[in-house]
Amino acid sequence: MAATIRDVAQASGVHVSTVSRTFSAPHLVNPETRNRVLAVAEDLGYRPNRAARALTTGRTHNIGLIVADIANPFFPPLIKAAQAHARARDYHVFVADTDEDPQVEEELIQTLTKQVDGVLLCSPRLSNRAIERLHADVPFVVVNRRVKGMPTILMDVGHGARLAIEHMTGLGHRRIALVSGPSGSWTSGEMRAAATAMEGVDLVILGPNAPTEQGGLAVAADVIASGATGVLAYNDLVAIGLIEGLYERGVRVPDDVSVVGVDDIVSGRLNRPKLTTVAMPTAAAGRMAVDLLLQSVGDSATPTLATLETSLVVRESTGEVRQ
């Protein structure tokens, strides 16, 4: 017969409730006791019944993680970090992709509500009002979007945008194009606010644009027509597409136009020229989001706002302005 929780408790010399806590809330158990219980459970082949535990505790030990576009290289490091961090805390992560569609996002949240203990919303496209309404049914942590009264992880893209523009003005660029992202994007709004507040910059804003390489290709003609010698793109995918579109029109990067992306994805490092970019701490955001959500599920956290620092990585796509 399969080993039971009572078998593990008897063999470990602890109460049944201690065995239960070892699997449901390991951080509450003394490390020495926890390790002994886990070793005995492994020897006996004991596996906790997650469904039964959910009925008893009201917890599924599942987390929903919803992203705007799983094909965007920005998200996989965040997803992998969140999954590993959750797994170490005996939680499983269900990943879902909205394809940048707020209606799909709302449907996914409603579908996951009864199956998870909470949801990580990463770069959501829903309005703040809709997020607040849906939050009544399930705990949220929001990543890359500020929603009042909700645990939030922000990557300081506004600071990154300032660093990028200061870098380009230091190279002599004065007319700079901001190639923005999709309508309703918090990141795009932060970049715009930071750029428009900077002095000594002749700023032109182009957008909204799709947050993809195709979006960058499509805006290339507008960048040339704007007369900008420096460009800050919404993300690295847009920047890579833009560089390709400029080359197709005989405009060289960085000889004729300097381009800066945002995210520091792997393909930006492999592109030619290698992309100057604003590095975003996506893995750290994934881990911190899991911690905040589990605190929220445990009713031990008040709404928290955490802002993670961004940095500029200078490579080959920026250079001095041509005289």
Side-chain angles (χ1 to χ4, degrees):
M1 293 179 61
T4 68
I5 191 171
R6 294 185 183 280
D7 296 331
V8 176
Q10 184 175 2
S12 304
V14 300
H15 195 272
V16 168
S17 62
T18 302
V19 179
S20 177
R21 275 197 300 277
T22 296
F23 288 96
S24 63
H27 60 286
L28 298 178
V29 181
N30 177 279
E32 182 180 346
T33 302
R34 182 176 68 232
N35 291 337
R36 184 170 73 252
V37 170
L38 291 174
V40 169
E42 183 68 24
D43 289 342
L44 295 179
Y46 171 74
R47 295 291 181 272
N49 186 320
R50 300 180 72 89
R53 187 171 69 188
L55 290 174
T56 303
T57 65
R59 304 273 177 80
T60 66
H61 276 246
N62 297 323
I63 294 172
L65 195 164
I66 299 177
V67 300
D69 180 8
I70 203 168
N72 186 328
F74 170 81
F75 290 109
L78 187 153
I79 293 169
K80 285 184 70 66
Q83 284 184 321
H85 204 61
R87 192 181 305 115
R89 286 148 183 77
D90 195 31
Y91 272 78
H92 295 296
V93 177
F94 299 159
V95 180
D97 172 20
T98 71
D99 201 25
E100 302 278 354
D101 187 329
Q103 182 175 341
V104 172
E105 189 169 60
E106 181 164 353
E107 291 170 358
L108 285 170
I109 292 170
Q110 292 170 337
T111 299
L112 286 171
T113 293
K114 301 301 181 184
Q115 304 176 52
V116 300
D117 295 332
V119 175
L120 306 180
L121 285 178
C122 301
S123 301
R125 299 300 182 235
L126 283 168
S127 67
N128 281 14
R129 181 174 296 180
I131 292 172
E132 290 164 0
R133 170 172 51 81
L134 292 163
H135 181 243
D137 298 323
V138 65
F140 286 157
V141 169
V142 185
V143 179
N144 254 16
R145 175 78 163 274
R146 191 190 299 268
V147 181
K148 186 177 180 181
M150 222 165 284
T152 301
I153 308 292
L154 300 179
M155 287 172 265
D156 195 353
V157 71
H159 173 67
R162 288 189 291 273
L163 291 177
I165 293 174
E166 287 171 357
H167 168 63
M168 286 189 282
T169 57
L171 294 170
H173 300 277
R174 291 296 175 266
R175 186 161 177 80
I176 294 174
L178 173 63
V179 175
S180 59
S183 299
S185 163
W186 176 85
T187 295
S188 198
E190 290 293 296
M191 292 172 66
R192 179 171 184 155
T196 54
M198 296 188 69
E199 297 180 357
V201 177
D202 182 10
L203 185 70
V204 55
I205 298 173
L206 303 175
N209 301 281
T212 61
E213 291 179 61
Q214 288 300 317
L217 280 167
V219 78
D222 292 337
V223 168
I224 294 170
S226 74
T229 61
V231 181
L232 174 58
Y234 171 75
N235 64 18
D236 286 351
L237 289 179
V238 172
I240 291 168
L242 172 61
I243 290 171
E244 181 63 25
L246 292 174
Y247 273 124
E248 289 176 356
R249 291 164 175 81
V251 178
R252 297 168 299 168
V253 175
D255 295 347
D256 302 317
V257 174
S258 288
V259 177
V260 180
V262 173
D263 288 343
D264 194 21
I265 63 175
V266 172
S267 54
R269 304 167 211 167
L270 303 176
N271 201 55
R272 290 295 181 272
K274 294 181 181 180
L275 189 63
T276 296
T277 186
V278 175
M280 302 283 272
T282 50
R287 290 188 291 268
M288 186 174 289
V290 169
D291 284 339
L292 280 185
L293 186 61
L294 296 187
Q295 290 172 19
S296 179
V297 168
D299 297 324
S300 62
T302 54
T304 301
L305 171 64
T307 302
L308 302 179
E309 186 175 341
T310 56
S311 59
L312 183 68
V313 181
V314 178
R315 297 194 179 103
E316 301 170 350
S317 65
T318 48
E320 292 184 358
V321 68
R322 293 182 67 179
Q323 300 299 328

